[in-house]
Every structure is written in structure tokens, then in C-alpha cells.
């Protein structure tokens, strides 16, 4: 006999005072011997809390009434805030969001990295709306309403939020969610399109539709009409990313591109390639990283986790030689292509799994005097434990996870390096996501 699971009964809404904030920007209160993490609450506020998840010792909830608001509370720019899970902090003053992220980095460095930096870098900030150039949007056909929803999921839910627009997406997409949904609704596979990968370049936008059933010629024509109306590149993806193909336009380069204007570079990328979400922050980040490396024409630089050469090529405009290493062969091919198009013949790219031993890799003994790392959220512990640091003068570490950065700071300190600079970059305004940059020199 199949077991029947009884849904947990949640407690009645309760009144509480928010005592502090978690690193994720959620309010924290205590109730019935549980620590409750409350979405949408700020320190010092008197609120009503409704719990939606509960475990032994802690619970998760959301604000359902504000009796005494914080002076730091602001009116969210997006009318869907509080329902859509794409943003968590639009109710909070932007400068306070940035301050909170800087404090999060500082606390993690103190607790897990053996202490903070000698100097704090000023936060990098940019336009807080319309910045997001990469996204994965959910798609769902709701038959009773005869509408296709396009966007992000609701807070603490697997349901898609009903969105007319998205304030943080690039407006070329964020203001057209309804039109994209209408185009999907006009197809025979309206309930068999699972998601859309959005990739925005400086000149063009690509939409990659994940199709669970083969589209008819008429279906393809409807999506092409969407591309023609708004200048989108339209791609279909039947299975994995390698199966993607473009249906509009049928001629011209398939690559999108973005500029590094301070370095006279244009970077080309495939819609599925990893690129930085925030173009303005990426440009500021590049200038800061290269300044902190203190590059000269005599330098030999190693760029680990280099992707398609986002840092590698700008470094090559100032350094004598640079080697980029990345786990994906496709991305290293993109890096070589971008270097060739830019006329940079003093850089090279290699594909290697940087979580595995690298002692036998020819590039690992390249006589480098400077190192840049830009790893994924898991950090760079494996490579930092085995990479020869002999002869290095400076290390710049770009991080998308302050917790793993703090751990890796500890590794570098144990290997005889000191943390001289660190600071955050507000790559994802209105979210709790923390990007940061750290600089190391020999102790």
C-alpha cells in the first residue's frame, strides 16, 4: 500500500520584531523556540510573519503585514516584487544593500579567512535596473487563462510568477515578456516549451527556446515573426545545449558580442556561453582588476578559469604574455578566436580541469610573475593547494561566492601570502548575491 504523507500544518501568522539580517538579506526573528528567516523584512521592523516552511530549530516565512517600517524601507521599483522570486531586496535602500554585502564579505573573511584585508576597496556600482543580460526564464501555458507565463518563479514556490514585465532584465527582453508569451501561445507546442535562455549582446539579443516536442513549420514561423518584430535571434534547443540551432536570422554570424571599450576589444560569444550578467560592472571590474595587477610589458600572467578570455585579452593589451586556462574546450576555442580577431598573438589558451592535478601540464611551469583567478562558486581550493606560487608577485582573485573566497584566503595565507585589498562589486543589484575582488602579495 502506498504511504500517504500528511502535509505539515503551518503555525498561524504571528507578530514579531526583526532582530538582524542573514547574509542572504532575510530578516531574523525568534518564535516558539525557532529561528525564523523572514523574506521582505528589515532590522527593527515590527511585522506579521507567515511561515511557509518549518524544520527542527528554524523556519522560513515572509512578511504579510508591516506595523512599524524601517526608515531604510523604500517602494520597490517593480510591481511584482514580493511575489516574483527574481529579486529579494528591492524594498531596501540601494546604498544599504551594498553596505550589507560589504559587511557580509568582511564577516566571512574574519571568521573563515583568518582576518580582513589591510585596505577595503570601494564598492563597484552601476545602474540598478535593466542590467541583467543573461537569464533562464521559465515558461508555462496556463490553459484556464489561455495565457503563457514567461519569467521567474514565485518566492518559495515552484509556480511561475505572473509577470507583465521585469525591471532588472535588459529592457529589450524585460519589457516584452507578454509579447514573448503571446508568440509561444500562437504555436501548437505552447505547452511543450519549457524555458528560454536569454543572452544579450551589445547589438543583438538571442532567445533559445527549449522545445520538448519538435515544432511544426508553422510553429517556427510564429517564433521567427517574434524575432523579426523585435530583432531577436531565435534558437531552438531540442535536448542538451549542443543540440541548439538558430532559425532566425538564417545568415550572418551566430555570435553575439560585447565591448571592452577601455581596451579597444570586442568579445564574441555563443548564446550558451558564460558571460558576466552586468555589462557596466564587467567594464568597471576589468579596469580595477588590471590596475590592481599593476601590469607592465615585462609581465607573464596566468589567468585561471578564464572562460572566453574576458580578463585574458584585456590583460594581453598591457602585459608581455598571458596564458588562459579553462575547463571547457569550447570556451578556450572562443578565447583563441577572440584573440585572433583582436590581433593579440602574445596570449594562449588551454583546456584543463582545474579541480584535478596539474603538475604535468606544460603551462603550469610557465614562469609567471602574476596570477588572476575567476572561479565558479565552488572556488579555487584544489588548484591553489597544488599550483606553484614561486616567482609570483601579485595575485588578484575575482569571486562570485564570498564563502569560498574566505576559505581560499585561508589557503593562501597558509602558503605565505597576505591579503592586502578586498571589496565587493554589486553585480546583481536587488539580490543578496555578492561578487568580490581580493588582492594578495607575498607575506
Amino acid at each position: 500500500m502506498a504511504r500517504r504523507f500528511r502535509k505539515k500544518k503551518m503555525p498561524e501568522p504571528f507578530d514579531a520584531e526583526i532582530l538582524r539580517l542573514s547574509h542572504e538579506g532575510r530578516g531574523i526573528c525568534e518564535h516558539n523556540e525557532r529561528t525564523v528567516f523572514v523574506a521582505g523584512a528589515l532590522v527593527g521592523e515590527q511585522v506579521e510573519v507567515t511561515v511557509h516552511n518549518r524544520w527542527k530549530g528554524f523556519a522560513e516565512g515572509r512578511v504579510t503585514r508591516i506595523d512599524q517600517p524601517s526608515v531604510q524601507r523604500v517602494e520597490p521599483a517593480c510591481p511584482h516584487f514580493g511575489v516574483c522570486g527574481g529579486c529579494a531586496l528591492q524594498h531596501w535602500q540601494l546604498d544599504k544593500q551594498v553596505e550589507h554585502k560589504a559587511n557580509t564579505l568582511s564577516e566571512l573573511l574574519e571568521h573563515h579567512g583568518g582576518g580582513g584585508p589591510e585596505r577595503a576597496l570601494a564598492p563597484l556600482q552601476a545602474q540598478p535596473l535593466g542590467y541583467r543580460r543573461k537569464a533562464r526564464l521559465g515558461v508555462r501555458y496556463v490553459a484556464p487563462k489561455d495565457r503563457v507565463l514567461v519569467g521567474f518563479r514565485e518566492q518559495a514556490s515552484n509556480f511561475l510568477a505572473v509577470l507583465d514585465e521585469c525591471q532588472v532584465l535588459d529592457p529589450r527582453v524585460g519589457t516584452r515578456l507578454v509579447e514573448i508569451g503571446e508568440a509561444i501561445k500562437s504555436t501548437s507546442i505552447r505547452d511543450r516549451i519549457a524555458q528560454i535562455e536569454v543572452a544579450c549582446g551589445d547589438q543583438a539579443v538571442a532567445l533559445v527556446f527549449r522545445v520538448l516536442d519538435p515544432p511544426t513549420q508553422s510553429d517556427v514561423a510564429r517564433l521567427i515573426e517574434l524575432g523579426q518584430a523585435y530583432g531577436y535571434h531565435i534558437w531552438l534547443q531540442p535536448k542538451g545545449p549542443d543540440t541548439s540551432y538558430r532559425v532566425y536570422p538564417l545568415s550572418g554570424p551566430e555570435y553575439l558580442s560585447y565591448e571592452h571599450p577601455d581596451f579597444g576589444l570586442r568579445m564574441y560569444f555563443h548564446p550558451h556561453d558564460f558571460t558576466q550578467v552586468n555589462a557596466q560592472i564587467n567594464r568597471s571590474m576589468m579596469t580595477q582588476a588590471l590596475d590592481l595587477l599593476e601590469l607592465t610589458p615585462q609581465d607573464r600572467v596566468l589567468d585561471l578559469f578564464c572562460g572566453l578570455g574576458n580578463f585574458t585579452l584585456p590583460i594581453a593589451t598591457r602585459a608581455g604574455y598571458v596564458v588562459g586556462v579553462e575547463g571547457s574546450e569550447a570556451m578556450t576555442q572562443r578565447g583563441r578566436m577572440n584573440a585572433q580577431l583582436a590581433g593579440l598573438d602574445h596570449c594562449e589558451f588551454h583546456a584543463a580541469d582545474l579541480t584535478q592535478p596539474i603538475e604535468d601540464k606544460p603551462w603550469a611551469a610557465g614562469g609567471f610573475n602574476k596570477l588572476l583567478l575567476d572561479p565558479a562558486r565552488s572556488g579555487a581550493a584544489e588548484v591553489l593547494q597544488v599550483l606553484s606560487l614561486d616567482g609570483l608577485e601579485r595575485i588578484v582573485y575575482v569571486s562570485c561566492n564570498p564563502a569560498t573566497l574566505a576559505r581560499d584566503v585561508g589557503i593562501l595565507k597558509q602558503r605565505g601570502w597576505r591579503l592586502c585589498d578586498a571589496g565587493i562589486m554589486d553585480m546583481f543589484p536587488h539580490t543578496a548575491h555578492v561578487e568580490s575582488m581580493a588582492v594578495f602579495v607575498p607575506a
Side-chain angles (χ1 to χ4, degrees):
M1 180 182 296
R3 294 180 62 187
R4 298 180 64 184
F5 293 91
R6 189 176 296 174
K7 187 176 181 180
K8 290 182 181 178
K9 183 179 179 180
M10 292 296 117
E12 293 296 318
F14 60 89
D15 294 336
E17 179 183 359
I18 302 303
L19 306 174
R20 59 193 184 278
L21 291 185
S22 70
H23 287 166
E24 297 79 22
R26 293 184 293 176
I28 297 176
C29 66
E30 303 293 333
H31 182 69
N32 288 346
E33 299 183 351
R34 278 189 173 90
T35 298
V36 185
F37 296 89
V38 186
L42 298 175
V43 172
E45 292 188 326
Q46 300 286 341
V47 299
E48 180 187 73
V49 178
T50 297
V51 170
H52 52 73
N53 277 316
R54 185 172 55 171
W55 298 268
K56 184 178 180 179
F58 71 98
E60 295 179 327
R62 62 182 181 276
V63 170
T64 47
R65 190 184 69 243
I66 302 171
D67 296 322
Q68 183 178 318
S70 167
V71 296
Q72 298 175 7
R73 180 174 287 275
V74 296
E75 186 67 25
C78 179
H80 305 296
F81 179 75
V83 176
C84 175
C87 294
L89 303 177
Q90 279 197 26
H91 63 295
W92 201 8
Q93 291 174 355
L94 189 63
D95 61 332
K96 296 303 180 182
Q97 294 181 35
V98 173
E99 182 181 315
H100 177 73
K101 294 177 185 183
N103 289 339
T104 295
L105 174 63
S106 178
E107 290 174 12
L108 289 168
L109 290 175
E110 287 290 341
H111 293 162
H112 304 291
E118 297 170 8
R119 293 175 297 274
L121 298 172
L124 297 184
Q125 296 179 254
Q127 168 58 244
L129 298 175
Y131 66 83
R132 186 161 185 167
R133 288 192 167 196
K134 292 280 285 187
R136 177 176 294 172
L137 303 179
V139 177
R140 184 187 175 204
Y141 175 60
V142 182
K145 296 185 178 181
D146 192 29
R147 177 175 176 179
V148 171
L149 303 181
V150 176
F152 299 105
R153 300 195 184 281
E154 295 179 355
Q155 289 186 7
S157 170
N158 288 324
F159 292 110
L160 280 185
V162 181
L163 304 181
D164 296 321
E165 61 180 345
C166 175
Q167 293 284 335
V168 298
L169 275 176
D170 185 307
R172 291 174 289 179
V173 178
T175 60
R176 296 169 180 159
L177 299 182
V178 172
E179 289 83 354
I180 294 170
E182 285 296 315
I184 295 171
K185 193 181 79 169
S186 70
T187 69
S188 68
I189 55 170
R190 61 182 69 86
D191 59 346
R192 301 299 290 163
I193 295 178
Q195 65 187 33
I196 305 170
E197 294 282 348
V198 176
C200 302
D202 288 347
Q203 285 85 26
V205 172
L207 302 181
V208 185
F209 293 84
R210 175 71 173 93
V211 291
L212 303 180
D213 287 338
T216 66
Q217 289 185 346
S218 177
D219 295 336
V220 174
R222 299 290 81 75
L223 296 178
I224 286 176
E225 288 173 2
L226 175 71
Q228 291 170 333
Y230 299 112
Y232 297 147
H233 291 196
I234 303 296
W235 292 67
L236 301 180
Q237 180 187 332
K239 293 183 180 179
D242 291 345
T243 67
S244 300
Y245 61 98
R246 191 174 70 170
V247 296
Y248 177 81
L250 291 176
S251 61
E254 291 189 345
Y255 294 113
L256 304 173
S257 69
Y258 63 89
E259 281 189 300
H260 279 314
D262 290 346
F263 306 96
L265 295 170
R266 179 166 290 280
M267 308 294 294
Y268 294 88
F269 64 97
H270 186 279
H272 281 301
D273 289 345
F274 171 82
T275 56
Q276 295 292 348
V277 161
N278 192 317
Q280 286 182 289
I281 291 293
N282 190 43
R283 292 172 179 176
S284 300
M285 176 176 72
M286 207 58 48
T287 299
Q288 176 171 278
L290 269 62
D291 287 347
L292 292 171
L293 277 171
E294 298 182 356
L295 295 171
T296 73
Q298 288 73 47
D299 289 331
R300 286 181 59 86
V301 184
L302 178 61
D303 177 12
L304 297 181
F305 310 94
C306 69
L308 51 75
N310 187 51
F311 285 98
T312 320
L313 270 60
I315 289 172
T317 66
R318 295 188 183 179
Y321 205 84
V322 57
V323 173
V325 183
E326 165 62 38
S328 165
E329 177 61 41
M331 293 290 271
T332 58
Q333 290 176 3
R334 215 86 73 230
R336 295 184 193 107
M337 177 189 75
N338 282 318
Q340 183 178 15
L341 291 172
L344 296 172
D345 57 3
H346 55 291
C347 57
E348 59 185 74
F349 291 84
H350 300 274
D353 183 351
L354 293 172
T355 66
Q356 300 299 315
I358 58 170
E359 295 88 342
D360 61 339
K361 306 296 183 184
W363 54 262
F368 305 104
N369 67 318
K370 291 176 181 175
L371 169 66
L372 184 135
L373 308 96
D374 183 15
R377 290 187 60 79
S378 55
E382 294 88 354
V383 70
L384 286 177
Q385 288 168 340
V386 299
L387 180 70
S388 173
L389 305 181
D390 295 341
L392 287 180
E393 301 165 9
R394 294 182 78 79
I395 298 173
V396 171
Y397 189 132
V398 180
S399 168
C400 60
N401 184 347
T404 53
L405 170 62
R407 178 202 64 200
D408 294 348
V409 167
I411 293 172
L412 284 168
K413 286 183 175 180
Q414 290 176 356
R415 297 195 65 188
W417 289 73
R418 78 174 198 268
L419 176 62
C420 57
D421 301 276
I424 69 149
M425 304 170 289
D426 198 16
M427 184 76 74
F428 292 82
H430 303 306
T431 78
H433 189 85
V434 181
E435 301 259 346
S436 50
M437 189 178 296
V439 184
F440 302 84
V441 296

